[in-house]
Amino acid sequence: MSKIIIDGTEIDVPAEYTLLQACEAAGAEVPRFCFHERLSIAGNCRMCLVEVKGGPPKPTASCAMNVRDLRPGPNGEPPVVLTTSPMVKKAREGVMEFLLINHPLDCPICDQGGECDLQDQAMAYGVDTSRFAENKRAVEDKEIGPLVKTTMTRCIQCTRCVRFSTEVAGVTDLGLTGRGEDVEITSYLEAAMTSELQGNIIDLCPVGALTSKPYEFKARPWELTKTESVDVMDATGAAIRVDSRGSEVMRILPRLNEAVNEEWISDKTRFIFDGLKTQRLDRPFIRVNGKLQPASWQEAFAAISDKVKATMPARIGALAGQLAAVEDMFALKSLMDSLGVSNLDARFPGSPLHPKHGRASYVFNSTIAGIEDADAIIIIGSNPRLESPVLNARIRKRYVRGNVFIGVVGEQADLTYPYEYLGAGPDSFAKSVEKALTGKQKPIFVIGQGALNRADGAAVLSMVAEAARKLGVVKDDWNGFNVLHTEAALVGALDLGFVPGEGGLDTAAMLKSGALDVLFLLGVDEVVVPEGAFVVYQGTHGDAGAHRADVILPGAAFTEKSGLYVNTEGRVQMTNRASFPPGEAREDWAILRALSAVLGNALSFDTLAQLRKSLFAAHPHFSAINGIAASDAGAINVLAGLGGKVGKDAFRSPVTDFYLTNPIARASKTMAACSALAKARIPLAAE
């Protein structure tokens, strides 16, 4: 630690701290445009100037000088730094004057207005006149895709967007061209950006040069109601803020959560909000003479009741989808239990994951933040760039720090960081993984659903568990056995025990022709239901499940209800209501409670609070919001003992189109445009 005096306050800070970090530690506010805690130091904007006593007779850029570089006083006194001296004030006002020479007076029409760093700092360091009479420089706007709108005349060349794209997202989409007055930020030949994280440059841009294209001219920040929530587009559980106006979600922004997403979110998370209001189910429907007809809730419940009461419990089944909240699945499971139904499942057909093996057998045991402690990462049957872009950025962050081995068994895809390709399938894993992990102290396996959702999934899971036990992936002080999920609801479903009961049918068996007479689908759109079964679909959008349904019960989207979700690492998280469901749609647990009364098996709760009380009594770990319940690593030994014969087929990621993985995304015009653009790039990549 080094002593330093900042504005008269003596503090101890690490020698590697920059002066800017030291000033913040002392409580002094230092303005900045180019500096960002998660990006490399550029020193472009010079807004963070401070005065260093004993240093050169000019202000110093505090972001580019370390505490260790300062000289002590003549008698060994600690270095002195001033952030509010007349020299500093005059220097910062000069920098602001230079920044505003070419900046247009766009504030009334700029989407950044009201949350703009340049506006805020101009209030403190700007002047009311300009000494420059020359015309302002104009820069042509760039077309970089359907997500980010560019107004490059406003750009102050802080290069945050360039550094984020290169360092965090791992793509070279943006760069700086020209010199001096002619410098511009652009993409190569003005091509669209390719990263699944590109929307984060909107948050990083300190001015209005990069703004959200779907949100263009839609609202002002002071008009919006801000609701803290959790993302459900994948199983990462990124912290988000949902901004709404009235009943409409206007935008989605990231929240800081160091343990999960830091401050990044994927483009699907950020831009699917238009899908929340299109193709929505807003009233019940009943299929009459082959066509769906609007109906009342009473008529829909009566149709279901007549069918259920005429059917044996063994011929009734229930499936839960990827966006279902824990409370909704708990209500559905309680209803099925009251009817004596044991045909329950939330897993993909063929999945070997099961709560009977122990919680450690199906969660990301090292945690997402624990990736940074690993010295070897083996990715098995997964493309994390498509399945969880935020988690993939964490792997890249670990790669950038160096001294880590990354190997891939499965698809040879561009993951934004270099890796050693170990092979395509189970045979390659068995032959190469032991050599790859020799001498590693904290290795991790990242097992994707592409390795599990197949006929030999149980054998593959057992093989990987056996390797984890033998090669030190699982030991007393480290558990690197990690299952990467792609669906937000699955870990919660496994925690609930939403799997077949004694003698019950799993997903694959329920979807066989003639297996069931009545099938409840709780937001299930990713499977093909055979003809013959009476299908009750409960969901939000007119997607595949609704097209197949005989009765449709309109539910609430994740922004329209308070619900619990468990992310891939087993962290319990809660969404909060930002708006209300459209029309006659209701929260899913409430629909099931009302249906249970019509069926003559009324559930024991009437409110969400009562439901959660029952849930927490049955499964106490759900009550620890943002907590991760301890998992017994002995579950890995149980898996290792299952055995089985693995096949030779190559592993394939279950996500082929990142932008269209769920009903909300498929209803989004923005996601459709991104998907079309991504598909158009595939032939170019092949060439």
Side-chain angles (χ1 to χ4, degrees):
M1 302 291 281
S2 300
K3 290 189 182 298
I4 183 172
I5 299 174
I6 298 175
D7 292 338
T9 303
E10 183 176 309
I11 62 169
D12 288 322
V13 295
E16 63 271 14
Y17 263 29
T18 64
L19 297 188
L20 191 151
Q21 291 172 304
C23 290
E24 288 190 335
E29 184 175 347
V30 179
R32 82 293 299 268
F33 291 116
C34 68
F35 177 82
H36 192 276
E37 292 81 358
R38 303 186 197 278
L39 304 177
S40 62
I41 294 172
N44 293 1
C45 72
R46 320 308 285 183
M47 195 65 205
C48 63
L49 295 173
V50 297
E51 182 179 355
V52 178
K53 288 293 185 181
K58 61 179 182 179
T60 299
S62 60
C63 70
M65 177 176 279
N66 286 9
V67 172
R68 67 161 67 93
D69 298 327
L70 298 181
R71 295 182 298 175
N75 299 314
E77 302 95 335
V80 175
V81 175
L82 301 176
T83 67
T84 57
S85 67
M87 176 198 286
V88 171
K89 186 174 186 298
K90 182 178 180 181
R92 290 177 182 172
E93 288 175 350
V95 170
M96 179 59 67
E97 191 173 1
F98 274 116
L99 287 174
L100 295 178
I101 291 173
N102 287 311
H103 198 81
L105 299 176
D106 277 354
C107 296
I109 61 162
C110 178
D111 277 323
Q112 194 86 343
E115 47 192 10
C116 174
D117 293 350
L118 189 65
Q119 277 185 332
D120 295 341
Q121 293 180 29
M123 287 293 292
Y125 301 104
V127 292
D128 59 352
T129 59
S130 174
R131 288 178 286 175
F132 295 87
E134 293 79 8
N135 291 330
K136 290 180 180 289
R137 181 186 75 150
V139 180
E140 186 176 342
D141 295 341
K142 311 298 187 293
E143 178 57 52
I144 59 174
L147 302 180
V148 181
K149 176 196 173 188
T150 62
T151 311
M152 301 313 292
T153 298
R154 303 172 187 160
C155 180
I156 61 171
Q157 288 82 46
C158 71
T159 69
R160 278 187 181 182
C161 54
V162 177
R163 285 175 284 147
F164 172 83
S165 299
T166 305
E167 298 165 12
V168 178
V171 296
T172 54
D173 285 345
L174 296 178
L176 211 62
T177 64
R179 299 185 67 182
E181 187 183 15
D182 297 323
V183 71
E184 294 184 25
I185 287 177
T186 183
S187 60
Y188 180 66
L189 297 180
E190 293 197 23
M193 295 185 69
T194 59
S195 173
E196 294 77 19
L197 296 167
Q198 62 182 275
N200 291 289
I201 66 176
I202 296 169
D203 299 329
L204 289 172
C205 184
V207 294
L210 303 175
T211 53
S212 171
K213 191 172 283 188
Y215 177 68
E216 181 181 5
F217 304 143
K218 292 289 194 303
R220 286 300 192 183
W222 54 83
E223 302 174 340
L224 305 176
T225 300
K226 285 86 172 175
T227 306
E228 293 187 352
S229 191
V230 177
D231 171 47
V232 299
M233 293 297 105
D234 55 36
T236 308
I240 61 173
R241 192 187 84 194
V242 180
D243 287 1
S244 58
R245 184 175 60 189
S247 61
E248 184 178 357
V249 174
M250 303 302 295
R251 64 178 181 179
I252 296 175
L253 300 175
R255 285 189 296 121
L256 183 67
N257 188 337
E258 295 288 356
V260 181
N261 61 305
E262 299 181 298
E263 58 187 274
W264 318 124
I265 55 174
S266 73
D267 293 337
K268 185 163 53 177
T269 301
R270 185 184 297 269
F271 294 108
I272 52 90
F273 58 84
D274 64 321
L276 291 167
K277 61 184 178 182
T278 55
Q279 299 183 14
R280 286 299 300 269
L281 301 174
D282 59 358
R283 67 182 70 181
F285 288 84
I286 299 176
R287 191 174 296 276
V288 179
N289 297 325
K291 293 185 178 181
L292 289 169
Q293 304 289 345
S296 67
W297 281 104
Q298 292 77 10
E299 291 170 338
F301 286 161
I304 297 170
S305 177
D306 292 343
K307 194 67 177 179
V308 169
K309 290 178 179 178
T311 306
M312 297 291 292
R315 302 286 295 176
I316 300 174
L319 295 175
Q322 59 180 316
L323 304 181
V326 169
E327 294 92 339
D328 305 332
M329 293 185 287
F330 181 73
L332 180 56
K333 185 176 186 298
S334 300
L335 177 59
M336 293 297 107
D337 289 345
S338 71
L339 297 173
V341 175
S342 58
N343 305 319
L344 303 172
D345 214 345
R347 302 167 298 173
F348 192 87
S351 174
L353 302 176
H354 201 288
K356 69 182 180 183
H357 301 315
R359 198 167 193 252
S361 69
Y362 59 82
V363 297
F364 206 93
N365 290 288
S366 71
T367 72
I368 295 172
I371 291 173
E372 297 186 30
D373 298 325
D375 57 3
I377 302 171
I378 307 296
I379 300 170
I380 307 157
S382 174
N383 182 342
R385 179 174 178 179
L386 300 183
E387 296 171 25
S388 177
V390 171
L391 184 143
N392 192 61
R394 186 82 73 151
I395 297 177
R396 175 175 169 77
K397 181 180 179 182
R398 178 64 189 88
Y399 154 74
V400 169
R401 273 178 41 212
N403 196 29
V404 64
F405 173 85
I406 302 178
V408 170
V409 181
E411 296 180 35
Q412 197 168 3
D414 178 8
L415 300 182
T416 72
Y417 43 82
Y419 57 82
E420 186 170 325
Y421 186 61
L422 303 178
D427 290 347
S428 303
F429 174 83
K431 293 175 183 176
S432 58
V433 70
E434 182 172 357
K435 180 180 178 182
L437 297 186
T438 301
K440 302 300 182 182
Q441 300 303 310
K442 288 189 174 182
I444 65 173
F445 286 161
V446 179
I447 308 152
Q449 300 303 302
L452 304 179
N453 297 339
R454 39 191 274 159
D456 62 346
V460 170
L461 187 62
S462 179
M463 176 186 69
V464 175
E466 176 67 16
R469 188 178 64 174
K470 285 183 176 180
L471 302 176
V473 176
V474 178
K475 45 192 174 185
D476 292 341
D477 59 343
W478 180 253
N479 188 345
F481 185 87
N482 300 319
V483 177
L484 177 58
H485 291 272
T486 58
E487 300 183 354
L490 186 52
V491 177
L494 293 171
D495 283 352
L496 277 176
F498 201 96
V499 292
E502 188 69 29
L505 304 178
D506 63 9
T507 303
M510 279 190 266
L511 295 177
K512 289 182 179 177
S513 182
L516 298 175
D517 293 332
V518 178
L519 180 59
F520 286 83
L521 300 180
L522 181 60
V524 179
D525 295 276
E526 315 304 323
V527 299
V528 178
V529 180
E531 296 296 327
F534 182 87
V535 175
V536 179
Y537 176 78
Q538 188 172 332
T540 59
H541 287 74
D543 209 79
H547 284 285
R548 173 62 185 84
D550 294 287
V551 175
I552 294 175
L553 306 177
F558 75 102
T559 57
E560 299 161 358
K561 61 186 177 184
S562 175
L564 296 175
Y565 289 85
V566 186
N567 78 346
T568 191
E569 58 183 349
R571 185 183 303 274
V572 181
Q573 300 173 296
M574 182 183 290
T575 62
N576 290 305
R577 173 185 282 164
S579 59
F580 286 89
E584 298 178 38
R586 296 292 182 268
E587 294 179 53
D588 294 287
W589 71 265
I591 295 172
L592 293 165
R593 169 61 183 85
L595 176 60
S596 70
V598 176
L599 293 174
N601 298 79
L603 298 177
S604 60
F605 42 80
D606 296 318
T607 65
L608 182 59
Q610 292 175 356
L611 185 158
R612 284 180 175 158
K613 185 176 180 181
S614 300
L615 172 66
F616 297 159
H619 306 278
H621 76 279
F622 284 119
S623 62
I625 306 301
N626 206 38
I628 302 177
S631 300
D632 182 8
I636 313 304
N637 295 328
V638 174
L639 289 180
L642 296 179
K645 184 178 181 180
V646 298
K648 295 185 178 181
D649 293 342
F651 296 136
R652 296 290 180 205
S653 171
V655 178
T656 55
D657 191 332
F658 166 73
Y659 298 101
L660 303 178
T661 56
N662 60 64
I664 301 176
R666 287 190 287 269
S668 166
K669 291 183 179 179
T670 304
M671 292 296 99
C674 292
S675 174
L677 190 62
K679 289 176 181 176
R681 281 196 298 262
I682 293 176
L684 297 176
E687 292 174 8

